[in-house]
Amino acid sequence: VLKGSMMLVTTRSPKVADIVRTIDPFPLEGLNEDVFWEFFKLCVFGSDTYNNYLELEPIGEKILPKLKGSPLAAKTLGRLLGMSLDLAHWDRILKSQLWELRQEETDILPALRLSYMYLPFYLKRCFSFCAVYPKDYNFRKKDLAEIWAAEGLVEHQHTGDQYFEELAHLSFFQKYPRSQEKYVIHDLMHDMAQVVSKDECFIVKDTKDLLKIPQNVRHLKVLKGGDVKCSDLLNLSKYRKLRTLLCGVSLNSKTGNAVMEKWCTELLCMRVMVCSSISKWGLPGSLSNMKHLRYLKILDSSLCKSLPSEFCC
């Protein structure tokens, strides 16, 4: 680092700011109330047509302070309100008990939780599945729609594309700044997704997480780069209700071959399986045991020279 260089740290946690600071932190406030009100109305109505719905304005004014000046909260809840410009719908959201959840002063989780709770059921299922991916993961619409279809969350990929667009419009997905094809989930939205999916989706970052996997987990991701060894993956076969397994740990070894054999023999509810690599012995014939498997992806398939004859089963 060159002399005179500086590092700027942003955080939502005052404790983190206190630990890393070398000067007094600069707290960022929410948007100015007048500006925020105009922005909120734009998120709800999409234009200046809000003058046609003046009876909704008193309810909107009561909801506004609960959003704490956060543009993300205004976009998600505003677009939710805009889905039904009905007095009763707005009043139900205003009087929801979710606003009473215990929260820190800067926490906007209740607003985001409300946005999720009032989603149509078909969008809830698709979005909650995304909790199996880590924060800042880059989503591609086509890839995610394929997996949703394999999971049975949508009838076919075209429907998945439509659902993805709906969620993006409601700000559950946001465009990745450096790519037109990639999307991300805001970290607060990701926190919310993990809250509503805590018993079904789980991410393994290191060996300590292996002891925390919910017994009835449905969707599991093992990240690469931690201290999880290939031999640790043998025990995943005890989670018999697994439908999704996304494995970032290399299976390019004799142990990896045993792991794959065990998975194919015992994880019989599997719909989606993604592996970073496989061993030189390739895919086992026991893969045919996975009668429900609809999506199989080997990221590094250089060692896979052929498919077992049982594959067509």
Side-chain angles (χ1 to χ4, degrees):
V1 178
L2 296 178
K3 185 177 180 180
S5 298
M6 293 185 292
M7 181 179 293
L8 177 66
V9 178
T10 60
T11 176
R12 297 196 310 273
S13 171
K15 293 180 181 178
V16 172
D18 192 53
I19 291 171
V20 304
R21 70 181 183 135
T22 56
I23 60 174
D24 290 338
F26 183 80
L28 296 174
E29 305 296 336
L31 291 176
N32 174 276
E33 186 174 335
D34 292 337
V35 173
F36 192 50
W37 174 236
E38 292 302 318
F39 177 68
F40 178 66
K41 288 191 288 188
L42 192 62
C43 292
V44 174
F45 301 103
S47 66
D48 295 333
T49 57
Y50 52 78
N51 289 326
N52 298 330
Y53 300 94
L54 295 178
E55 74 278 6
L56 298 175
E57 191 165 311
I59 299 178
E61 289 175 342
K62 291 177 182 177
I63 290 175
L64 202 69
K66 301 176 183 293
L67 306 182
K68 301 178 181 177
S70 165
L72 177 63
K75 286 169 67 178
T76 54
L77 197 66
R79 287 173 178 170
L80 167 69
L81 290 166
M83 292 173 68
S84 177
L85 301 176
D86 176 71
L87 201 62
H89 173 67
W90 282 46
D91 198 50
R92 280 195 302 272
I93 290 178
L94 172 63
K95 295 177 179 177
S96 171
Q97 293 182 353
L98 286 176
W99 292 118
E100 306 305 320
L101 286 175
R102 186 177 178 183
Q103 55 185 309
E104 300 296 332
E105 187 178 345
T106 57
D107 186 8
I108 62 168
L109 182 59
L112 302 184
R113 184 71 179 267
L114 269 168
S115 301
Y116 173 81
M117 294 302 294
Y118 279 86
L119 280 178
F121 178 68
Y122 62 89
L123 291 183
K124 279 184 184 179
R125 294 201 308 165
C126 290
F127 180 72
S128 62
F129 172 81
C130 297
V132 76
Y133 295 95
K135 285 186 177 181
D136 300 322
Y137 183 84
N138 291 172
F139 293 91
R140 294 179 186 271
K141 178 172 62 174
K142 175 180 176 293
D143 295 343
L144 189 55
E146 284 182 350
I147 290 179
W148 282 344
E151 296 285 357
L153 301 178
V154 300
E155 291 184 12
H156 44 71
Q157 186 183 334
H158 178 66
T159 308
D161 288 343
Q162 291 179 328
Y163 289 178
F164 192 100
E165 291 290 348
E166 287 186 52
L167 287 166
H169 173 71
L170 295 169
S171 296
F172 284 82
F173 291 105
Q174 298 180 346
K175 279 278 191 182
Y176 185 65
R178 302 188 204 116
S179 172
Q180 289 298 313
E181 295 183 357
K182 296 179 182 179
Y183 292 78
V184 295
I185 296 176
H186 190 284
D187 58 352
L188 285 174
M189 298 293 278
H190 189 274
D191 290 344
M192 188 268 297
Q194 292 201 312
V195 167
V196 299
S197 307
K198 62 180 180 179
D199 295 323
E200 293 205 345
C201 298
F202 194 80
I203 299 173
V204 175
K205 304 181 184 70
D206 50 45
T207 51
K208 291 183 292 185
D209 289 331
L210 292 169
L211 303 175
K212 303 174 186 176
I213 300 175
Q215 188 59 43
N216 293 322
V217 66
R218 297 288 198 278
H219 312 292
L220 184 69
K221 184 172 181 67
V222 183
L223 298 182
K224 64 178 180 179
D227 60 350
V228 177
K229 298 186 290 293
C230 189
S231 57
D232 295 325
L233 302 177
L234 286 165
N235 288 329
L236 297 184
S237 60
K238 70 181 181 180
Y239 299 103
R240 301 298 176 84
K241 296 182 180 180
L242 267 180
R243 291 174 175 236
T244 311
L245 183 51
L246 313 174
C247 182
V249 176
S250 174
L251 300 179
N252 184 14
S253 65
K254 191 171 184 178
T255 303
N257 187 58
V259 168
M260 181 64 80
E261 182 73 47
K262 195 170 181 64
W263 288 353
C264 292
T265 304
E266 300 183 20
L267 297 178
L268 303 183
C269 292
M270 195 76 72
R271 264 61 167 183
V272 170
M273 185 159 64
V274 177
C275 300
S276 62
S277 62
I278 55 174
S279 71
K280 64 182 180 180
W281 291 276
L283 293 167
S286 56
L287 186 73
S288 62
N289 294 327
M290 292 183 164
K291 303 295 185 184
H292 300 288
L293 191 67
R294 297 290 179 270
Y295 185 103
L296 174 64
K297 187 172 187 178
I298 312 296
L299 298 178
D300 179 8
S301 57
S302 59
L303 295 175
C304 189
K305 304 301 182 184
S306 62
L307 296 173
S309 59
E310 297 89 345
F311 188 78
C312 61
C313 298

